[in-house]
Amino acid sequence: MNYLSPSILSADFSKLGEQLRIMDEAGAEYVHIDVMDGAFVPSISFGMPLIRSIRPCTGKVFDVHLMVEEPVRYIQEFADCGADIITVHAEACAHLDRTVEAIRERGVRPAVALNPATSLNVLEYILPKLDMVLLMTVNPGFGGQKFIPYSLEKIRRLKDIIEEKGLNTDIEVDGGVTLSNVEEVLQAGANVIVSGSAVFRGDISENVRKFKELMK
Ligand code: DX5
Ligand code: ZN
């Protein structure tokens, strides 16, 4: 099953509730929520109060991507404000296993993200404990960047590893995914597609429908 996870980083925050309803009605399954701390990545985005206030706007899966140093400090709070999936960066955790365990203990689905240049080797022991792996296909920090071409090979390799181990871990791809390259990304083995600028630029409903059509 394929899932579309529009990133609200590219939304118009003055009409966020309305834009969430449009995405929801057009058939997006997840809401991708990019939390940036100004330390792990250069930008600062938003945090718990925003997530708490949009939680009643939709019943869709809240896919919270923490671009935050030592996210273990905040797992309880993100679980309390309505996260369904919490993704932490391997590069940001001194104790990745402990962080993943903390997410699972709160009844939230754990996922690990890797920056474009981070090797898949860091997943070797933790993979069986994860519901999803997020592969960054741009350097994290900003929406609207270009997809890094070597990422396709990385997606294929991760898909092979998951199959070799007999797991059914989801592969989420985040950064530079558009209507022009989404099919290649799916063919490489991804099944959760994040898209910010390609969903929110122009007609949101139309964009979501076009993505969903290509993702069948
Ligand atoms: C980047 C974020 C992404 C970003 C995707 O640091 O993690 O989720 O918003 O935006 P686009 O689809 O515009 O690359
Ligand atoms: Zn993201």
Side-chain angles (χ1 to χ4, degrees), residues 56-76:
C57 297
T58 170
K60 296 290 168 80
V61 171
F62 270 19
D63 168 29
V64 177
H65 177 194
L66 298 182
M67 284 162 275
V68 169
E69 286 292 349
E70 290 303 346
V72 72
R73 297 173 292 162
Y74 305 111
I75 299 306
Q76 183 70 58

Side-chain angles (χ1 to χ4, degrees), residues 114-170:
L114 303 183
N115 285 336
T118 301
S119 169
L120 294 172
N121 293 342
V122 303
L123 298 172
E124 185 172 1
Y125 298 105
I126 200 74
L127 192 57
K129 290 191 176 185
L130 305 178
D131 283 17
M132 184 169 84
V133 172
L134 184 162
L135 295 181
M136 285 304 311
T137 45
V138 298
N139 290 296
F142 310 94
Q145 303 180 80
K146 260 180 91 67
F147 186 92
I148 297 174
Y150 68 66
S151 310
L152 280 176
E153 179 52 31
K154 193 176 180 187
I155 301 166
R156 281 187 214 109
R157 182 72 198 117
L158 176 59
K159 180 72 180 169
D160 287 347
I161 294 170
I162 289 169
E163 279 175 0
E164 278 161 23
K165 291 187 188 265
L167 300 168
N168 59 358
T169 323
D170 288 328

Side-chain angles (χ1 to χ4, degrees), residues 167-195:
L167 300 168
N168 59 358
T169 323
D170 288 328
I171 301 179
E172 179 170 52
V173 167
D174 185 3
V177 182
T178 64
L179 289 166
S180 325
N181 63 8
V182 65
E183 284 168 300
E184 259 184 311
V185 170
L186 292 166
Q187 259 159 31
N191 72 311
V192 183
I193 299 295
V194 178
S195 182

